[in-house]
Amino acid sequence: MRFLVDAQLPSAMARYLASLGHQAEHVSDVGMLDADDSPIWDYAVACGAIVLTKDEDFPHRLSQAPLKAPVVVWLRVGNASRRALLEWFGPLLPNIVLLIENGEKLIEVR
């Protein structure tokens, strides 16, 4: 799977996903660290990436999106160290992947 990790999450998240065999980029890797949501959305649609974000604007946008929309994985977690975030996320990833494979467009992770 291909993931695009949004700016509120560390670039280590993209590296972690890549270490597990996924394609993953952080928005900083593609020159969009300071970009608004629209170019990030468009990039994800164009390259078939799943947006991994803490930003509630993406789920809202998905609810009003036209047919062309990326899958959005919305991490509902407070501030945490990079290590704690990855330790929390790792065990959840297999279920997230399964939900994506089953056609879910919005996956809210708490």
Side-chain angles (χ1 to χ4, degrees):
M1 292 191 165
R2 184 172 185 168
F3 290 91
L4 180 61
V5 179
D6 199 14
Q8 305 87 4
L9 295 166
S11 59
M13 180 70 80
R15 291 190 303 274
Y16 175 71
L17 289 162
S19 77
L20 297 174
H22 297 283
Q23 289 182 290
E25 301 169 305
H26 189 267
V27 290
S28 63
D29 298 331
V30 294
M32 292 192 291
L33 183 60
D34 296 319
D36 292 329
D37 292 344
S38 289
I40 294 169
W41 180 276
D42 293 342
Y43 180 84
V45 168
C47 68
I50 297 149
V51 176
L52 187 61
T53 187
K54 285 177 70 177
D55 183 351
E56 67 183 277
D57 291 341
F58 281 99
H60 177 71
R61 184 181 189 124
L62 185 61
S63 71
Q64 300 178 0
L67 297 177
K68 293 238 177 201
V71 171
V72 175
V73 177
W74 184 24
L75 301 184
R76 302 286 305 270
V77 60
N79 292 336
S81 70
R82 178 180 25 206
R83 183 178 191 169
L85 178 66
L86 295 178
E87 287 174 358
W88 169 80
F89 181 74
L92 301 171
L93 185 58
N95 192 50
I96 292 167
V97 168
L98 182 62
L99 290 168
I100 293 166
E101 289 173 344
N102 287 332
E104 295 292 329
K105 294 298 276 179
L106 173 62
I107 299 149
E108 184 176 351
V109 184
R110 292 179 183 259

